[in-house]
Amino acid sequence: MTDNVIDIEGLRCRYGAFEAVRGISLQVRRGELFALLGTNGAGKTTTIEVLEGLNKATSGTVEVLGLDPIRDRAALRPRTGVMLQKGGFSGSLTVLETVNLWRNLTAGPRPADEALEMVGLSDKAGVAVEQLSGGEGRRLELALAVLGRPELLFLDEPTTGMDPASRRRTWDVVRELLRDGTTVLLTTHYLEEAENLADRVAIMKAGEIVTVGTPEQVVRALPARITFHLPAGTPPELSHSTLRQDGDRVTYHSTDLQSDLTDLLAWANGNATTLTDLAARPASLEDVFMDIATTDEPAEASR
Amino acid sequence: MSTQTIPAGVPSLYAQMATMVRMELLLLRRNMTATMLSVVTPLVVGVLLVSGRGYDTESGVARMSGVIGMVAVFCVHHHLTTAYASRRQEMVLKRLRAGIPSDRTILIGAASATILVFLVQAALLVAYGVVVLDMPVPANPLTMLVAMLLGSAVLAAFGAALSAVTRSSEAAMLTTLPSMLVFLMAPGVLVPLGALPESVERIASFLPMGPFTEIMRTSWLGHEMGGGELLGFGGTTLHALPWLGALVVWLVIGAAVTTKYFRWEPRH
């Protein structure tokens, strides 16, 4: 029996007339990093806040480490770390004051200098929180989320607003935590982040999970793409592709990139046709995301 | 799943409360302008209000009790409404709630710092009265302390409840206007006893600050206003009991309203 750290069945969350989460189910296994990917308004934050015990589910069951996030709060909180989507600390206190106060509200906390060192804020210890840059502020929030060496870490859009260097550094911190056995549930709208960090990904749209799997599984469901400009003439049918033409711009969605590309090039050679701006690439997570973000039809991937 | 062992290393309730208090006191020190407004100014105004001449012992004590009530309304009720609104806006309440402290610890911990500051102010005012204004030494300081604790707890509870409709610390000026008026309207606070028509005064005396000032006056003087018999320690305690009961009722109401309406994060 797999050790499911998080178990959600049929979760629904309603705010008045608006249903933010419409019946999602997922499991997160111990030691993995599970990413919830989606645009704003998809329901990611609502979902993670139910797991954090900040929101009440309208219906469905939610289990975190086998416990109820609201009812069993006293037993659960010492084992989890939380990074909210934004805010959480008074601006007028300094970084070090904030860490020291929070250490007294944390079970088994790391030393303050270790926490600051981890996120690269050691030289900002005496700076007021409100004077930190956006990225530095997020790093402080990360330090406080991992202060108690939690078993399970909730990160809600952890690198939003960060410069690329801070982002990479945060990813390093998260990877190190994963190596130590921490389980991580992360929400993000950065595809690169999900691709880089996630063991498994669930893509959410309008309160539903539209596809779940490893990044590779999710991507495999989408075809590769061949694009070029064809000023004159009719493009050929390719055996593994569907064709779409917009004026002189031609796009093939192909399930066998190599075979179709070979046929296409042979055709172009035979007809002495120039394919301008020819590009061919396999599907990426971005395609899945854009595809889902712009269409209403769910894509199937192995679960 | 009602019995689980709490994992080791969790800070004790006392430690959590102490940390909350320390956080609030640190914030008070850090935000000097706000502190001057909500803490120092009412105290100064209070001192000015009592320092006129021409008070006999009884009316002097009555006046001072009213002033302490007034200071409580500003420094506990108004200040806490502002503080809760501000913490909510910064998402501090939400973040605390995602951590170890329980909802009650967070609310009470934040209020405790403010109540502590108020108790110091009240002690200073009483000392000022005794030393400078020749007021008698309080006959039953214990009952007075209990009244101050309960009274400020009531003000705190309504401050928490009111903060739910207070979007920011600036907005607190507006939202606490009606509530402060209601609190200050109790006879013996700003309005001296006997100034209102008797029927109105009767009703208004059940507002929270009514029992508060009644206990303060009687326990300080050692007898009821209008020169009743000398009550002594036991007597003043007995006299205070029904009024303390009234304060407890108000506290229960305030706590119930807070439980129902308190918001932990700003509206979506």
Side-chain angles (χ1 to χ4, degrees):
Chain A
M1 163 150 156
T2 44
D3 186 2
N4 281 337
V5 166
I6 294 176
D7 202 327
I8 303 179
E9 295 287 334
L11 174 66
R12 283 181 183 271
C13 288
R14 178 181 287 277
Y15 295 116
F18 174 62
E19 201 169 24
V21 179
R22 304 170 183 207
I24 66 167
S25 303
L26 64 89
Q27 290 78 38
V28 176
R29 301 189 272 255
R30 185 170 289 280
E32 74 172 344
L33 188 146
F34 192 101
L36 279 178
L37 180 64
T39 54
N40 293 329
K44 320 188 289 293
T45 297
T46 307
T47 304
I48 203 173
E49 289 187 353
V50 170
L51 294 168
E52 291 164 352
L54 295 174
N55 271 346
K56 210 170 150 63
T58 310
S59 66
T61 58
V62 169
E63 267 191 8
V64 177
L65 294 167
L67 302 169
D68 181 288
I70 295 182
R71 246 191 358 248
D72 304 321
R73 173 185 174 162
L76 195 47
R77 289 283 196 278
R79 302 165 71 183
T80 58
V82 168
M83 190 174 165
L84 296 179
Q85 193 175 16
K86 53 178 180 269
F89 306 106
S90 276
S92 32
L93 302 179
T94 67
V95 166
L96 188 58
E97 283 169 343
T98 306
V99 173
N100 280 330
L101 276 170
W102 275 88
R103 288 189 73 244
N104 290 312
L105 295 174
T106 307
R110 299 172 196 271
D113 45 4
E114 181 184 314
L116 290 178
E117 173 87 46
M118 269 182 92
V119 297
L121 284 177
S122 306
D123 57 342
K124 302 276 180 188
V127 176
V129 170
E130 63 202 350
Q131 292 178 330
L132 295 175
S133 71
E136 289 167 344
R138 287 309 267 157
R139 276 148 57 190
L140 174 62
E141 290 158 28
L142 178 64
L144 289 157
V146 305
L147 198 57
R149 299 187 188 91
E151 268 175 74
L152 171 59
L153 194 53
F154 294 112
L155 303 176
D156 197 350
E157 305 210 10
T159 61
T160 300
M162 277 192 189
D163 57 277
S166 294
R167 180 165 298 146
R168 306 262 152 201
R169 200 202 177 102
T170 302
W171 289 355
D172 290 340
V173 173
V174 173
R175 283 197 198 97
E176 178 148 344
L177 293 165
L178 285 167
R179 272 196 292 274
D180 290 339
T182 313
T183 310
V184 179
L185 177 67
L186 173 146
T187 76
T188 183
H189 58 258
Y190 293 125
L191 309 151
E192 201 193 3
E193 190 156 77
E195 265 173 331
N196 262 278
L197 293 178
D199 295 308
R200 286 193 304 144
V201 153
I203 302 192
M204 283 189 79
K205 187 189 178 195
E208 290 175 324
I209 288 185
V210 165
T211 183
V212 181
T214 66
E216 298 75 38
Q217 285 170 335
V218 165
V219 159
R220 207 189 305 143
L222 256 205
R225 224 170 265 241
I226 305 172
T227 54
F228 55 88
H229 287 276
L230 190 66
T234 325
E237 285 296 314
L238 298 175
S239 23
H240 307 281
S241 290
T242 55
L243 169 64
R244 199 166 66 216
Q245 193 162 3
D246 245 321
D248 68 346
R249 186 177 170 80
V250 178
T251 309
Y252 286 99
H253 286 103
S254 167
T255 51
D256 189 336
L257 178 60
Q258 189 164 347
S259 162
D260 281 350
L261 193 55
T262 312
D263 292 345
L264 176 67
L265 293 173
W267 172 86
N269 248 5
N271 284 4
T273 311
T274 315
L275 306 172
T276 337
D277 302 321
L278 176 64
R281 58 178 184 73
S284 71
L285 205 50
E286 171 154 11
D287 297 324
V288 185
F289 191 59
M290 296 309 289
D291 192 64
I292 284 166
T294 53
T295 67
D296 278 326
E297 282 181 317
E300 279 299 314
S302 47
R303 275 168 204 271
Chain B
M1 286 233 189
S2 51
T3 46
Q4 301 112 24
T5 41
I6 310 288
V10 176
S12 69
L13 186 61
Y14 173 76
Q16 291 176 37
M17 284 279 196
T19 308
M20 297 292 313
V21 171
R22 223 173 322 136
M23 195 186 298
E24 287 295 320
L25 290 177
L26 196 50
L27 284 167
L28 266 176
R29 281 215 312 270
R30 211 42 69 75
N31 296 318
M32 246 312 139
T33 10
T35 310
M36 290 304 276
L37 258 167
S38 59
V39 173
V40 174
T41 312
L43 187 61
V44 170
V45 171
V47 166
L48 288 172
L49 275 174
V50 283
S51 292
R53 290 176 189 279
Y55 290 119
D56 64 6
T57 309
E58 264 199 12
S59 55
V61 166
R63 189 117 177 134
M64 184 60 99
S65 304
V67 160
I68 294 177
M70 182 205 78
V71 168
V73 171
F74 280 97
C75 298
V76 177
H77 176 72
H78 174 83
H79 177 79
L80 271 177
T81 307
T82 311
Y84 283 127
S86 167
R87 310 277 166 276
R88 181 180 303 114
Q89 255 202 312
E90 287 177 313
M91 304 289 188
V92 172
L93 292 180
K94 185 174 180 179
R95 184 61 182 82
L96 282 165
R97 205 165 173 243
I100 287 179
S102 71
D103 288 1
R104 232 178 314 195
T105 308
I106 299 170
L107 285 171
I108 296 177
S112 299
T114 312
I115 293 177
L116 224 70
V117 172
F118 162 66
L119 289 176
V120 169
Q121 291 172 299
L124 285 171
L125 282 170
V126 171
Y128 181 75
V130 169
V131 172
V132 178
L133 300 176
D134 279 330
M135 291 182 185
V137 175
N140 191 344
L142 198 60
T143 320
M144 288 170 70
L145 180 62
V146 175
M148 286 194 275
L149 279 170
L150 272 178
S152 48
V154 171
L155 292 170
F158 281 100
L162 199 57
S163 75
V165 297
T166 307
R167 201 162 305 176
S168 65
S169 43
E170 293 77 33
M173 289 273 159
L174 277 168
T175 56
T176 55
L177 217 50
S179 59
M180 285 204 288
L181 270 169
V182 168
F183 287 125
L184 294 170
M185 212 171 72
V189 184
L190 278 187
V191 179
L193 292 170
L196 293 168
E198 181 163 343
S199 48
V200 179
E201 183 163 305
R202 235 164 198 275
I203 301 174
S205 65
F206 285 105
L207 296 171
M209 291 291 103
F212 174 78
T213 49
E214 174 63 39
I215 300 169
M216 291 291 283
R217 282 189 302 266
T218 311
S219 295
W220 191 331
L221 289 169
H223 59 84
E224 287 192 56
M225 291 285 291
E229 52 163 302
L230 216 57
L231 287 172
F233 197 87
T236 46
T237 311
L238 265 166
H239 169 267
L241 282 178
W243 296 108
L244 288 173
L247 285 175
V248 169
V249 169
W250 276 110
L251 185 57
V252 168
I253 297 175
V257 175
T258 302
T259 309
K260 184 157 160 83
Y261 292 109
F262 195 75
R263 309 189 136 271
W264 292 93
E265 59 180 304
R267 268 183 216 277
H268 294 271

